[in-house]
Amino acid sequence: MKESHIRSCSTQKVYPGSRFLRAVKYGTCALAAAAVCLLTGCAKEKDPMEKIKDLEFTVLAEENIPGELKAVIEEKKGNAFKVTYQDNGFLYICIGYGEQVSGGYSIVVNALYLTDNAIYADTTLLGPDPSDTGVKKNSPSYPYIVIKTEFLDKPVVFN
């Protein structure tokens, strides 16, 4: 004779509202997991070159340049140069464009701003105005600019 194995399955009693409570419990867990993902996984990385603020500055006339810095400029002015100098709580940013064939050049400060990791200085050399008859066309010039701003303990990046 064959024996048959019958397994009895116990059935759980379903109480009214238990499916609802289970759905609420799983829904709450899913909502909490989604919130954790949103709060941790979607943070925007900050660009280290992003401008924090523009810096206030003054372009110095030759007579207002500190003597020690003036000597460094005089030594380097024949070639293009970029120099920083600090003194009495100020930072001096110097940019020279080397020997030019004539006079009449000017330099424009396009931007001087602070980022998380540096100070950015951007200048442009503008050529002499062809209509300017007072320009010395036969004698070379050595255009440079000295920018004075508050001292910040950050490297300077020249653009």
Side-chain angles (χ1 to χ4, degrees):
M1 220 166 138
K2 274 183 163 180
E3 284 185 36
S4 63
H5 294 290
I6 300 176
R7 292 185 186 166
S8 76
C9 297
S10 65
T11 53
Q12 284 183 329
K13 270 191 165 179
V14 177
Y15 296 101
S18 66
R19 286 185 182 167
F20 174 74
L21 291 175
R22 190 176 315 140
V24 168
K25 184 168 82 173
Y26 289 125
T28 304
C29 289
L31 202 58
V36 167
C37 287
L38 285 173
L39 293 174
T40 59
C42 298
K44 180 184 172 191
E45 268 191 48
K46 194 168 186 179
D47 181 5
M49 291 181 54
E50 183 179 336
K51 182 192 318 185
I52 294 174
K53 70 173 185 173
D54 287 317
L55 296 177
E56 292 184 22
F57 65 91
T58 304
V59 175
L60 294 183
E62 191 171 343
E63 60 269 8
N64 296 330
I65 300 171
E68 189 176 341
L69 179 57
K70 198 181 285 190
V72 171
I73 292 170
E74 190 62 35
E75 178 184 311
K76 294 183 175 284
K77 74 178 184 180
N79 298 309
F81 67 89
K82 296 169 181 165
V83 174
T84 60
Y85 175 79
Q86 72 180 57
D87 185 34
N88 295 325
F90 292 103
L91 176 65
Y92 298 86
I93 300 169
C94 312
I95 303 164
Y97 287 88
E99 183 175 339
Q100 304 297 316
V101 295
S102 68
Y105 287 86
S106 60
I107 301 169
V108 175
V109 178
N110 301 318
L112 183 67
Y113 61 92
L114 178 66
T115 68
D116 271 345
N117 60 355
I119 297 169
Y120 284 79
D122 181 21
T123 62
T124 302
L125 177 66
L126 301 176
D129 185 0
S131 65
D132 189 0
T133 57
V135 173
K136 296 180 181 176
K137 299 206 185 239
N138 295 333
S139 61
S141 66
Y142 306 91
Y144 65 88
I145 190 168
V146 178
I147 302 166
K148 178 182 177 182
T149 189
E150 65 180 295
F151 176 74
L152 297 167
D153 193 17
K154 302 241 184 208
V156 176
V157 176
F158 297 92
N159 289 340

